Amino acid sequence: MILKPLWFDRLPSTNTFLKERLELEPALLSGTVVAAREQTHGRGRRDREWLSDANENLTFSLFLRTVSNPRKIPSATMAAAIAIAELLDSIGIQANLKWPNDVQVGGKKICGILSEAVSSGVIIGIGLNVNMGGAKHIDQPATSILMASGERRSIEEMLEMLLPTLADRLNEWGQGGFSKVRKKWEANVPTLGKTVTVRDGETSRCGILRGFGDDGELLLDEHGVVSAIWAGDVEG
Ligand code: BTN
């Protein structure tokens, strides 16, 4: 179950806020959602910043009480990404998924997700570009709902529309892990069966993307030998 979101005009970071809140209130309800119209210290993966102009984009975090298995947690991100792609689809925007945590439109990033394990579960932080008018403040080519569709949208409405689908995907994930949502994930991965490069820091590996394992790990076929990759970014 997901609760009615708590909106703040400004927070340093919704992920950080929820982490601190959990320390003060360990019994915090699962499904608590905190959204900010502006983040002053938004965080991305790999210690990057997540910068977003005030009132333009959706930035929020959700606390999910769950088994804190470090192997399972990353695929919560993937379940959330599926829900974002479904939201975009419902407003006429065709989105794709890029392992491990990006949602793209026309090859450009429209959403980033940062999941952080805490002792009682996971905090899933989502940044969805809604009314951003030009690609700025971002680590790779980026787009927004406005840029993809020509329409401005209310960030509150986008969150309201997203939460029921997000709840469904996270429930499925909670019941059966990534296996439960794998079909939906793979249906939106255009690089499946194609040659990709997976880069992790200085290391890069090239092979055919065969699919995803039971915990969302990427299965890469290098000259007929398939191995599981747990961290990195897919290119190409
Ligand atoms: C990434 O692609 O690097 C992940 C970006 C995640 C950004 C969101 S915005 C809401 C939440 N609060 C944060 O500080 N980060 C996440």
Side-chain angles (χ1 to χ4, degrees):
M1 191 189 59
I2 292 189
L3 304 170
K4 199 170 144 32
L6 296 169
W7 275 95
F8 289 83
D9 282 339
R10 183 184 293 146
L11 284 179
S13 148
T14 53
N15 268 37
T16 309
F17 177 89
L18 267 184
K19 262 192 193 171
E20 291 172 358
R21 182 77 182 262
L22 264 168
E23 276 164 27
L24 296 172
E25 198 185 328
L28 189 73
L29 286 177
S30 184
T32 297
V33 174
V34 170
R37 296 187 176 83
E38 182 183 3
Q39 291 189 126
T40 52
H41 293 87
R43 298 186 287 112
R45 285 171 69 227
R46 299 176 183 268
D47 289 330
R48 286 191 286 245
E49 280 181 294
W50 184 264
L51 297 169
S52 166
D53 287 341
N55 301 304
E56 290 286 277
N57 302 309
L58 180 58
T59 51
F60 76 98
S61 302
L62 173 143
F63 165 61
L64 195 65
R65 196 171 286 280
T66 178
V67 280
S68 193
N69 178 342
R71 213 176 153 104
K72 303 261 171 227
I73 292 295
S75 62
T77 306
M78 298 166 82
I82 297 168
I84 299 282
E86 288 178 90
L87 167 75
L88 294 170
D89 196 48
S90 76
I91 57 170
I93 298 175
Q94 165 64 49
N96 296 132
L97 301 171
K98 186 163 90 78
W99 187 83
N101 79 330
D102 287 344
V103 184
Q104 293 188 325
V105 172
K108 295 181 178 176
K109 179 162 169 166
I110 196 163
C111 174
I113 306 174
L114 176 68
S115 290
E116 297 185 291
V118 287
S119 59
S120 49
V122 58
I123 292 171
I124 302 171
I126 298 183
L128 173 65
N129 299 331
V130 178
N131 296 315
M132 185 178 86
K136 48 186 168 184
H137 306 327
I138 221 149
D139 61 302
Q140 55 176 284
T143 190
S144 67
I145 291 177
L146 172 63
M147 290 161 78
S149 68
E151 282 177 53
R152 287 186 73 84
R153 299 267 177 174
S154 135
I155 54 175
E156 289 85 355
E157 190 201 0
M158 287 297 96
L159 182 55
E160 216 168 285
M161 284 172 70
L162 171 67
L163 289 182
T165 320
L166 186 58
D168 288 348
R169 295 302 149 259
L170 290 175
N171 276 340
E172 287 169 355
W173 176 84
Q175 283 160 15
F178 179 72
S179 312
K180 271 271 193 182
V181 295
R182 179 176 11 223
K183 267 203 183 122
K184 292 190 181 84
W185 172 270
E186 290 189 343
N188 255 325
V189 176
T191 46
L192 194 64
K194 302 207 172 116
T195 301
V196 294
T197 301
V198 185
R199 203 174 296 279
D200 187 13
E202 298 298 299
T203 315
S204 79
R205 294 169 70 172
C206 186
I208 299 169
L209 173 52
R210 288 289 178 218
F212 300 86
D214 287 348
D215 293 319
E217 68 276 24
L218 183 145
L219 303 176
L220 191 71
D221 179 340
E222 292 158 300
H223 310 292
V225 180
V226 178
S227 40
I229 299 189
W230 294 88
D233 283 293
V234 171
E235 292 172 3

